Amino acid sequence: MKKKILKNMTILIAISMLVMFGLMIILIDQQSRHQMQEMVETEAGYVKLAVEESGISYLSEQTANVSPSRLTLIQADGAVLYDSAEPAEKMENHKERPEVKEALEKGSGKSTRLSFTMGEVTYYYALRLSNGNVLRVARTTDSVFITIRNSLIPLLLIFACVLAIAVLLTKRQTEHLVRPLNCLDLEHPLENDVYEEISPLLTRINQQNHQIAQQVETLKEKQDEYDTITENMQDGLIVTDKTVILSINKKALGLFHIKKKECIHKNILTLSRNQDLKACLDLALQGQSNNRIVEMEGGNYQFLGNPVRVDQEIRGAVIFILDVTQKAQNERMRREFTANVSHELKTPLMSISGYAELIMNHMVSAENTPEFAGRIYQEANRLSTLVADIIKLSKLDEQEDCLPMEEEVDLWMMANDVNWQLQQKAEERNITVKLKGESVKIHGNRQLLSEIVYNLVDNAIKYNVENGKVHIHVHRKGDHAEFVVKDTGVGIAAADRERVFERFYRVDKSRSREIEGTGLGLSIVKHGVAMHKGEIKVDSALGKGTKITVVFPL
């Protein structure tokens, strides 16, 4: 804008100066001509008096040399009697000359003639004498064009100097005018003390600023909401256009071990060269929703690809990455559990069926019938216990979120009750059970905590050696309660420690028939501890016994 103002002002000044110089020259020329005419007319009056007093003898060569004007004496018929510039006899008749004709009629006459070839202007003034003759006085001066030509160089120098000064002043003035505009505080437009003419513009800018601020705040809130939702998702999320990644959440970044700045606005191949991921994206960009299960990072992940359409045109794709590892494990465990349940139920049922068939077919003597009936009873009890444990696990799975967990339970008292319940079983194998510690109260489900304590102490007795020992210790440690069961039993191999909590898993399969149990006790324990937000640790070695520590938050 400053350059435009300076340019326009310079052109305007130049034009103004040219017009001014032209008008001045014309005015000066007119003024000069007016003065010349007055001088000619005055001189004509003097000469007329002199001629009428002295006669034609006044018009001599001396008079011509003294006067800068051209003097001509003309008879009434137009013949030239005297001329100070040329011989009279060589001059043509002047009767038709305008100034002479006018003088003869009115007593005086005048005319101006321009010579384009000579670039001169001649002013003629004629007076009629008393004897009828006409005295004409003429004077020649340069025309305005000659004046301009002769004064061109000085005029150009003056024009250049004045124009340069005017441009400098204009530049300073322009900067002075523009400076307030350059210093406008557009963040607070109404606080600017500038020209009144731009007040409507500043008011409009202020309104626009408020609208933009509101829109930015709305967009920021939506972006924060989107970021909060996506960053806290348990599943991976990738949003792309047709070529590059537009958004990716923390879960997906962690899965592919990459930083956000390394993949945003870049091709998805920079994220991972996994062909399943690329195929999922390609199908989504072709308008096809698709999903596939992929094994990666030691787990199972489901890629869900969906196209993003805007006005019926595919603009990008959204890819969800679901961690289905637990689902796959649960499915595997379900199949194993179903197979194990079938096997565990089949074994006592076959025994019951076999013993019953022998008795039914009278293949058992009377004295052996009680023994066979006892075996049927034992197998039926085993089957009942197995079904009861299965039902317990099923209920725990179903009631995980709705089981009451606000009862106050004293762990030491509960351990003492369990010790009393299992005292006879321990004495049958000559196993010593000792309980130590202090009263520690926690909040939870009494029945479920009783199952945990009972199963741990019962296992310590069942899998112990003859004349073995079981130590139970209940104590407070910081803001946690610890329940410890330590035995001198057969122990657990390192390879089996992680699997002892699986359903129907038995460490010593050769003794599984000899030892009463369903193989579900430790599964119930682990499930119950997890529902109480606790932690269970196993420290064991073959032939050296086992120590199980359960930590509950207070």
Side-chain angles (χ1 to χ4, degrees):
M1 185 177 75
K2 185 167 66 175
K3 291 181 179 179
K4 191 172 183 179
I5 291 175
L6 183 60
K7 178 183 176 182
N8 292 338
M9 289 295 293
T10 301
I11 294 173
L12 183 61
I13 290 172
I15 293 173
S16 299
M17 289 177 62
L18 289 174
V19 172
M20 181 187 70
F21 278 130
L23 292 175
M24 286 179 62
I25 290 172
I26 293 172
L27 183 62
I28 291 172
D29 181 69
Q30 292 293 329
Q31 187 67 25
S32 175
R33 289 187 186 185
H34 182 69
Q35 291 177 355
M36 181 189 70
Q37 290 173 2
E38 288 182 348
M39 291 172 63
V40 168
E41 291 175 2
T42 301
E43 185 180 358
Y46 291 150
V47 174
K48 175 185 177 184
L49 291 175
V51 170
E52 287 185 343
E53 289 288 334
S54 304
I56 196 173
S57 60
Y58 176 77
L59 300 174
S60 63
E61 185 177 347
Q62 290 79 9
T63 304
N65 293 332
V66 172
S67 176
S69 302
R70 181 179 179 179
L71 303 178
T72 306
L73 185 61
I74 306 166
Q75 289 182 340
D77 59 359
V80 178
L81 300 176
Y82 170 81
D83 188 82
S84 61
E86 296 182 24
E89 60 274 10
K90 294 183 179 181
M91 297 182 68
E92 60 183 10
N93 191 285
H94 280 39
K95 187 177 182 179
E96 296 300 324
R97 298 292 173 91
E99 66 279 2
V100 175
K101 192 174 181 180
E102 186 179 358
L104 290 172
E105 293 176 358
K106 300 179 180 180
S108 65
K110 55 186 176 181
S111 68
T112 302
R113 288 192 280 276
L114 174 64
S115 174
F116 290 100
T117 57
M118 300 299 292
E120 296 177 339
V121 177
T122 303
Y123 178 68
Y124 297 92
Y125 186 71
L127 290 174
R128 188 179 63 197
L129 302 180
S130 58
N131 58 6
N133 292 335
V134 176
L135 174 67
R136 188 181 71 174
V137 179
R139 185 173 291 186
T140 301
T141 184
D142 292 334
S143 68
V144 67
F145 303 106
I146 298 300
T147 302
I148 293 173
R149 185 188 67 186
N150 295 337
S151 306
L152 184 61
I153 294 177
L155 287 174
L156 289 176
L157 291 175
I158 294 172
F159 177 81
C161 293
V162 173
L163 182 62
I165 295 171
V167 169
L168 290 175
L169 294 175
T170 302
K171 184 177 180 181
R172 290 185 59 184
Q173 187 64 23
T174 301
E175 291 176 350
H176 178 71
L177 292 172
V178 173
R179 189 179 297 115
L181 299 179
N182 290 334
C183 298
L184 285 176
D185 182 5
L186 297 181
E187 294 295 328
H188 309 89
L190 297 183
E191 297 179 7
N192 295 287
D193 185 15
V194 290
Y195 310 114
E196 183 180 352
E197 290 77 4
I198 65 171
S199 293
L201 174 63
L202 295 178
T203 302
R204 183 60 179 168
I205 291 175
N206 185 61
Q207 294 174 352
Q208 291 291 338
N209 284 350
H210 284 300
Q211 292 177 2
I212 292 171
Q214 291 175 356
Q215 292 172 355
V216 169
E217 185 64 26
T218 302
L219 290 175
K220 186 176 182 300
E221 290 177 358
K222 290 183 177 180
Q223 184 64 40
D224 290 343
E225 181 180 351
Y226 172 80
D227 291 341
T228 301
I229 293 173
T230 57
E231 290 303 313
N232 291 282
M233 288 175 59
Q234 296 299 315
D235 304 312
L237 173 67
I238 302 172
V239 181
T240 75
D241 62 9
K242 290 185 176 181
T243 55
V244 299
I245 297 173
L246 299 178
S247 176
I248 181 170
N249 70 348
K250 183 168 60 177
K251 180 69 175 181
L253 290 172
L255 182 62
F256 294 106
H257 306 291
I258 194 170
K259 295 180 179 179
K260 182 173 288 190
K261 63 181 180 181
E262 296 174 354
C263 60
I264 290 295
H265 301 304
K266 295 182 181 178
N267 192 282
I268 199 167
L269 291 178
T270 62
L271 178 67
S272 173
R273 294 190 177 276
N274 187 294
Q275 293 301 314
D276 290 301
L277 177 62
K278 186 176 184 304
C280 181
L281 174 64
D282 291 341
L283 286 174
L285 292 176
Q286 293 171 14
Q288 302 179 32
S289 297
N290 64 100
N291 72 86
R292 58 194 65 214
I293 304 295
V294 180
E295 291 186 8
M296 56 185 294
E297 296 294 315
N300 297 316
Y301 295 88
Q302 184 177 15
F303 291 169
L304 299 174
N306 292 286
V308 175
R309 290 183 171 87
V310 179
D311 297 330
Q312 304 302 318
E313 180 182 354
I314 297 175
R315 297 290 183 86
V318 175
I319 299 176
F320 287 98
I321 304 175
L322 309 180
D323 186 350
V324 294
T325 304
Q326 187 63 42
K327 182 179 178 181
Q329 291 177 351
N330 292 340
E331 180 64 23
R332 177 178 57 80
M333 290 178 62
R334 185 189 65 79
R335 290 195 298 268
E336 291 179 357
F337 180 71
T338 302
N340 288 330
V341 167
S342 300
H343 175 73
E344 292 293 335
L345 291 176
K346 184 178 180 181
T347 301
L349 285 174
M350 289 297 292
S351 297
I352 292 171
S353 176
Y355 293 139
E357 184 178 1
L358 290 174
I359 294 174
M360 181 183 68
N361 293 327
H362 305 289
M363 298 178 67
V364 180
S365 60
E367 60 271 16
N368 291 330
T369 298
E371 179 184 353
F372 278 77
R375 291 180 182 178
I376 291 174
Y377 178 76
Q378 290 176 356
E379 293 296 335
N381 280 340
R382 181 183 173 194
L383 182 61
S384 177
T385 303
L386 178 61
V387 172
D389 284 349
I390 292 172
I391 292 173
K392 286 178 186 177
L393 276 174
S394 177
K395 286 183 177 180
L396 287 178
D397 289 334
E398 293 176 359
Q399 300 177 1
E400 185 171 356
D401 296 329
C402 60
L403 207 63
M405 305 292 286
E406 297 301 323
E407 297 179 79
E408 188 177 71
V409 179
D410 190 324
L411 278 181
W412 193 90
M413 291 295 296
M414 182 169 284
N416 188 53
D417 291 342
V418 170
N419 182 25
W420 181 81
Q421 294 175 30
L422 295 174
Q423 190 65 40
Q424 182 178 354
K425 182 181 288 189
E427 290 175 353
E428 289 175 357
R429 301 190 61 198
N430 199 25
I431 294 174
T432 303
V433 180
K434 292 184 178 181
L435 172 63
K436 294 182 179 180
E438 59 183 324
S439 175
V440 181
K441 295 180 180 179
I442 65 172
H443 288 84
N445 183 273
R446 179 178 294 276
Q447 182 179 354
L448 189 53
L449 287 171
S450 179
E451 290 282 350
I452 294 171
V453 174
Y454 186 92
N455 277 300
L456 290 177
V457 177
D458 184 48
N459 280 353
I461 294 172
K462 285 193 299 187
Y463 293 96
N464 214 320
V465 295
E466 293 289 337
N467 303 315
K469 296 180 180 180
V470 175
H471 295 279
I472 306 171
H473 193 196
V474 180
H475 62 278
R476 182 191 303 267
K477 188 174 182 180
D479 56 351
H480 292 81
E482 284 192 354
F483 174 75
V484 183
V485 178
K486 183 178 180 181
D487 64 57
T488 57
V490 295
I492 304 171
D496 295 319
R497 285 178 201 159
E498 296 299 324
R499 300 196 63 190
V500 292
F501 297 103
E502 293 181 10
R503 301 174 182 184
F504 296 113
Y505 185 79
R506 297 176 185 270
V507 173
D508 189 356
K509 295 179 174 59
S510 63
R511 298 181 61 198
S512 61
R513 296 288 298 171
E514 300 173 8
I515 301 174
E516 294 180 1
T518 61
L520 297 174
L522 286 180
S523 294
I524 295 173
V525 169
K526 184 178 180 181
H527 208 141
V529 171
M531 291 179 68
H532 284 84
K533 311 298 182 185
E535 182 180 359
I536 188 166
K537 304 174 185 176
V538 178
D539 183 14
S540 181
L542 282 175
K544 295 183 179 181
T546 301
K547 177 183 177 182
I548 296 181
T549 303
V550 181
V551 180
F552 294 105
L554 292 176

